[in-house]
Amino acid sequence: MGMEKDPLPQLEDWRRDGRIAPLDAHFGRFVARGSGHAALGLLAAVVSRQRSLGHVCLDARQLPEDLPGPELEAAWRAVRSLDSPWLGRGPGAWSPLVLDGARLYLGRMHAAECRVAGALRRRLEAPDLPPPRPEHIRALFPGDGPGIDGQRLAAVIAALRPFALITGGPGTGKTTTVLRVLALRLLRQPELAIHLLAPTGKAAARLTESLRAQRSSLAVPGLDPARIPDRVSTVHHFLGLGRGRPRYDRRHPAPVDLVVLDEASMIDLPTMDRLLEALPETAGLLLLGDPHQLASVEAGSVLADLVEGADPRAFSPAMQARLRALGVPLPEGTASGSRADDALVALTWSHRFPPDRGIGKLAAAVRSGTASWEEVEAIAAQHPEIELLTWQGKRLPPGWLDGFVEPLDNRTCTNLPSALRHLGRARVLCALRSGPAGVETLNQVVAERLAAKRGGQPSLHGTPVLVTRNAPALGLYNGDMGVLWAHETATGERRVRACFLGPDGEIHCLPRAELPEHEPAYALTVHKSQGSEYDRVLLVLPDTPHPLVTRELLYTALTRARRAVRILAGPETWDAGVNRRTQRASGLTERLRAR
């Protein structure tokens, strides 16, 4: 059948309107011309666009509201009965596009979702491991109290199950718990090969620091605390991604018995697929994370999909009996569940944000969707660690940066180690990259304020930097944060190096000229702040509602603060954000629960 020169002229209109990217339009036309079906090309462009927005697929029951509904619905009707080698159907299909029920996928995303679901289901259905000894459990969890019972339950579940998922917000004791999981597993199997992973260098360094600080406190007969690993790698470094052929994959699985992955909410579907493909079928997997945080930057929301609809208080009758036999109290309200329910445990008591702390109250209200601006004002009135500011039109209000200049100035530090520690004192967090409330503008504003403080003299020394492009050969990855630091050479020449705290807890420096693509980091997007914590956070939101301001973004930003938070926002922006939830189209939950 002959086709027009441009089979889909409407794509050009959508591109000009900013509703799809040029790449999406190009892909749609490519599929339309190759398949001979304009309807399939139209949906291909939309699937491509949805992937760039974080969705794994296009769901016919949740079509994008900003694209013409009648056109998309007509295209769906045409494609449902289409017979084309360009369109596969159901699990096992391999073609540029795959229609699976009411969901349309890019072929590679469909294959990745099926593989991840299969790998996780096999682990969910695997038999329990030999139980830990009751005396070891008592030694690792002496006494009772707020949070202890939950940590004990989570540790024993993770010691029993080949696959387990421990969820919880900041300060709920996930690191404390995983340390004891490792102790229980090593007491049972001393030669266990364990790898600890995190999505970013920042998250890896923080977990390394926490494990080293707590490891020596373990006192259990028969356990050498030094046997517990404390070196955390990034997932990319572990797999050897970005160096040509990966170090580990299905044909060359990693020599590992147990993998622990922290900050799992940041892991996208393709990365989880590559990780699972690289693990032997016998390897255990323990995921840690907070499903209420922002999902990954790339497509998918694996952690959220895993907990969707699950009841963390439900356990199979067999698991309940095993826990009672080990002397582990069941939580109040325990329900009867399936074997798949045994893998999930939620830690709910926060030691950092107890119920009487303002940040904890505010984060809980945001998480539940009840934190209107009026409610925020009421909480702030009772808790001085929360400050509220509003925009003056499009202008930053006077004093918006007061109290943050000194914590953001690394030049006040006398040596490099203290400068790197100083990075954790304060940070400006933004929802956007550009505009008056964006990272680009505020980085410049802060840099100018610091230069004025120094008499108007700009200086690279002490500038915090954020790596924005992976550089595996240098051991640096997108999201790694460090500081530019001047030093004198043996000849008395002053040179600036870029210095980072590595996942191994050691300081690594390189000449500034070798630093990969980067930007100043006085201000970060909330996405880039994941895996980090700061004593004080200044959250800057736009003055008018924006689709990127969501409940998950607000919750993530608030929980980066250890001690205090200042919020600069338009009340309408805040209210719209609390009511806007991130919902990514995916079939992973359905596949995991399929019988």
Side-chain angles (χ1 to χ4, degrees), residues 100-168:
D100 197 342
R103 300 182 179 95
L104 182 66
Y105 297 78
L106 296 174
R108 64 182 181 277
M109 296 302 291
H110 181 262
E113 184 177 275
C114 289
R115 284 193 297 265
V116 167
L120 294 179
R121 284 193 65 176
R122 288 191 294 274
R123 286 176 169 82
L124 285 168
E125 294 165 0
D128 287 350
L129 301 170
R133 292 167 59 177
E135 60 267 29
H136 291 158
I137 298 173
R138 289 192 295 270
L140 288 166
F141 294 96
D144 300 293
I148 300 298
D149 289 347
Q151 292 176 15
R152 181 191 297 113
L153 173 68
V156 174
I157 290 285
L160 285 169
R161 298 297 298 135
F163 169 64
L165 170 57
I166 299 175
T167 68

Side-chain angles (χ1 to χ4, degrees), residues 9 11 26 87 158 161-162 207 350 359 366 373 380 413 473 485 502 511 542 568:
L11 293 184
H26 176 77
L87 179 67
R161 298 297 298 135
L207 181 57
S350 177
I359 295 176
V366 168
W373 187 256
C413 301
W485 199 251
L568 168 57

Side-chain angles (χ1 to χ4, degrees), residues 235-250:
V235 177
H236 278 73
H237 183 266
F238 170 71
L239 295 176
L241 300 181
R243 298 171 180 263
R245 197 176 80 175
R247 181 183 298 115
Y248 303 124
D249 55 25
R250 174 182 285 185

Side-chain angles (χ1 to χ4, degrees), residues 178-246:
V178 76
L179 187 67
R180 284 152 177 78
V181 172
L182 299 179
L184 290 173
R185 294 291 300 269
L186 287 168
L187 282 163
R188 190 177 61 219
Q189 189 178 347
E191 301 306 316
L192 196 71
I194 302 171
H195 279 274
L196 309 179
L197 306 179
T200 67
K202 289 183 295 183
R206 189 163 62 84
L207 181 57
T208 295
E209 183 181 12
S210 297
L211 290 173
R212 288 181 176 177
Q214 298 185 41
R215 188 174 63 171
S216 60
S217 65
L218 294 181
V220 182
L223 174 69
D224 178 6
R227 291 278 306 147
I228 298 177
D230 62 0
R231 286 181 175 267
V232 186
S233 301
T234 64
V235 177
H236 278 73
H237 183 266
F238 170 71
L239 295 176
L241 300 181
R243 298 171 180 263
R245 197 176 80 175

Side-chain angles (χ1 to χ4, degrees), residues 307-347:
V307 304
E308 178 69 28
D311 183 354
R313 297 172 301 175
F315 300 99
S316 68
M319 179 58 75
Q320 293 186 38
R322 297 198 80 181
L323 293 171
R324 290 191 188 98
L326 292 170
V328 178
L330 295 171
E332 186 177 348
T334 295
S336 180
S338 67
R339 185 167 183 76
D341 294 320
D342 293 343
L344 173 63
V345 186
L347 302 177

Side-chain angles (χ1 to χ4, degrees), residues 530-595:
Q530 286 183 275
S532 300
E533 297 174 354
Y534 307 98
D535 292 339
R536 301 181 66 196
V537 162
L538 172 50
L539 173 60
V540 180
L541 303 176
D543 62 310
T544 56
H546 193 284
L548 288 181
V549 181
T550 63
R551 185 183 303 179
E552 291 79 9
L553 180 138
L554 297 176
Y555 173 81
T556 302
L558 292 172
T559 53
R560 299 311 89 202
R562 285 187 284 250
R563 298 178 184 173
V565 62
R566 177 182 296 165
I567 301 169
L568 168 57
E572 290 183 0
T573 301
W574 178 274
D575 288 343
V578 169
N579 291 320
R580 183 184 295 113
R581 296 198 62 187
T582 301
Q583 294 182 314
R584 291 186 166 179
S586 163
L588 183 58
T589 299
E590 196 173 293
R591 295 184 198 282
L592 289 170
R593 300 190 185 286
R595 291 289 181 260

Side-chain angles (χ1 to χ4, degrees), residues 246-316:
R247 181 183 298 115
Y248 303 124
D249 55 25
R250 174 182 285 185
R251 290 173 298 176
H252 305 91
V256 60
D257 300 313
L258 173 64
V259 164
V260 178
L261 174 60
D262 194 18
E263 298 286 0
S265 66
M266 299 171 65
I267 295 294
D268 57 75
L269 179 69
T271 301
M272 180 62 79
D273 177 37
R274 300 190 79 162
L275 175 61
L276 291 170
E277 286 280 278
L279 301 184
E281 284 290 326
T282 55
L285 178 64
L286 172 57
L287 303 182
L288 310 171
D290 185 348
H292 302 291
Q293 286 189 24
L294 280 166
S296 59
V297 175
E298 301 299 328
S301 51
V302 176
L303 182 64
D305 288 344
L306 284 169
V307 304
E308 178 69 28
D311 183 354
R313 297 172 301 175
F315 300 99
S316 68

